[in-house]
Amino acid sequence: MFDAFNTSCKQASRLLSESREHPLPFLKMAQLKAHLKVCDACAEFQKQLAGLHEIFGLYSKVINKFPLSDGPILSNEAKARMKATLMN
Amino acid sequence: MTNSAINPENWVEAHGDILYRYALSRVRDQQAAENLVQETFLAGLKSAASFSGQSAERTWLIAILKHKIIDFLRQSYREKPVTDLKSEEQSIDEFFDETGHFKKEPTVWDVDSALLSEKKEFWQTVQDCLQKLPPKTADVFSLREIDQVDSKEICKLLNISSTNLWVILHRARLHLRRCLELNWFESQKGRP
């Protein structure tokens, strides 16, 4: 695939990831925008970064609502220890 | 309001396992996870006045636990700072061919939060993918995307440079996007 300004997907995807952490310098932003215009894979990667953000934003809410039957649980000893500590 | 809702013995039975499972998924050490749960209960007891209403009890305890986990990570990285920048750089190469193209090209995902929230199997896949990351990489990513601590704060917390942080986050994202794509969005499991 033709790469605008010879930017590779490897470079562009790194800039996309970095752009979620801080505003990119002007030239890097221009380089990235040019690449995104001609590269479907990176355009999709950009959406997936937003998707990952959405998914992991839900993680701590969701992970706590499913039944515990198959998850690790506290041992009875640990529970007894905690109760004893809390009652003191 | 009265303090009748505050019943520490009940906390252990009602929330202990759930807090423990969350703590364990973050710190990967049974003893450390147990300690974090206990500290959470103790902190909850001390600040019981700020607790309002039964329905929010678990959410409130989880919020305390999240702070305890961040403190735990700050302390453990003070003793063993993140230094494997070079290996993170190298591992980024794994995701691309010699010409710099994705080895596994990103495809369209159907991210429907409401629907995914209800799918236990999806969250199992998410957890499995997270656990395949090197521990430090998983810690950094989790602070950023699960706890939503901002980049500058994470750098201070773990005593790393921003460049280092960006590389680690990028490596985590490359892995997670490929792992979720292969094991969920493009697999049988991801289909209704």
Side-chain angles (χ1 to χ4, degrees):
Chain A
M1 192 185 291
F2 165 75
D3 285 331
F5 299 129
N6 291 320
T7 309
S8 66
C9 294
K10 187 174 157 184
Q11 294 167 308
S13 62
R14 185 155 172 167
L15 291 175
L16 280 170
S17 194
E18 217 177 290
S19 73
R20 300 193 67 89
E21 308 312 316
H22 72 124
L24 292 181
F26 179 78
L27 275 179
K28 282 187 175 176
M29 189 50 121
Q31 183 189 6
L32 176 59
K33 280 185 175 166
H35 180 85
L36 287 174
K37 277 191 182 151
V38 297
C39 179
D40 293 343
C42 286
E44 218 48 63
F45 180 73
Q46 182 175 32
K47 288 183 206 156
Q48 292 187 358
L49 289 182
L52 285 178
H53 180 71
E54 199 175 329
I55 289 163
F56 284 93
L58 291 170
Y59 182 88
S60 50
K61 288 179 207 106
V62 175
I63 214 81
N64 296 308
K65 79 175 192 193
F66 293 115
L68 275 167
S69 55
D70 50 359
I73 56 169
L74 284 167
S75 64
N76 289 333
E77 294 75 33
K79 282 186 180 170
R81 231 176 10 250
M82 283 181 197
K83 284 180 192 171
T85 311
L86 288 176
M87 298 316 280
N88 281 325
Chain B
M1 94 167 248
T2 66
N3 257 4
S4 60
I6 302 296
N7 181 351
E9 183 154 348
N10 186 42
W11 280 357
V12 176
E13 289 303 332
H15 311 300
D17 287 336
I18 275 179
L19 295 179
Y20 173 68
R21 191 168 57 155
Y22 183 71
L24 189 63
S25 80
R26 293 294 304 275
V27 303
R28 298 172 297 270
D29 178 87
Q30 191 186 322
Q31 192 57 55
E34 279 181 24
N35 290 343
L36 285 164
V37 174
Q38 174 139 327
E39 281 173 31
T40 298
F41 287 142
L42 288 171
L45 210 55
K46 269 188 206 154
S47 60
S50 73
F51 163 68
S52 53
Q54 187 72 25
S55 64
E57 191 176 67
R58 180 175 295 165
T59 314
W60 174 67
L61 287 169
I62 287 170
I64 298 174
L65 174 61
K66 289 180 102 174
H67 286 290
K68 294 284 170 198
I69 290 171
I70 294 174
D71 283 344
F72 173 84
L73 291 173
R74 181 193 288 122
Q75 273 166 18
S76 50
Y77 281 94
R78 193 173 292 156
E79 288 150 28
K80 49 173 174 71
V82 185
T83 48
D84 48 356
L85 182 59
K86 207 175 165 195
S87 69
E88 294 285 349
E89 287 278 5
Q90 280 163 352
S91 63
I92 282 174
D93 293 343
E94 286 169 29
F95 297 91
F96 300 91
D97 65 20
E98 337 49 80
T99 62
H101 286 103
F102 282 99
K103 279 186 189 163
K104 166 76 189 75
E105 282 213 355
T107 52
V108 180
W109 289 6
D110 180 17
V111 181
D112 179 336
S113 296
L115 199 73
L116 289 178
S117 295
E118 301 305 319
K119 296 209 176 208
K120 188 180 175 182
E121 256 199 312
F122 174 70
W123 297 98
Q124 188 57 54
T125 307
V126 169
Q127 219 169 16
D128 293 346
C129 287
L130 203 50
Q131 275 162 10
K132 280 182 207 146
L133 281 171
K136 287 176 182 180
T137 311
D139 286 343
V140 171
F141 178 82
S142 301
L143 280 171
R144 182 71 187 102
E145 299 284 13
I146 295 178
D147 299 325
Q148 296 178 356
V149 179
D150 77 36
S151 309
K152 283 189 183 136
E153 194 58 36
I154 298 176
C155 289
K156 271 192 270 171
L157 209 70
L158 305 182
N159 196 22
I160 56 176
S161 72
S162 353
T163 320
N164 201 334
L165 175 75
W166 299 337
V167 175
I168 296 170
L169 285 174
H170 183 45
R171 186 255 192 276
R173 286 166 176 152
L174 285 170
H175 161 77
L176 290 168
R177 77 123 219 113
R178 188 182 60 182
C179 188
L180 288 177
E181 187 161 281
L182 292 173
N183 296 296
W184 186 267
F185 291 106
E186 284 181 355
S187 90
Q188 239 5 72
K189 286 190 278 177
R191 308 232 162 84

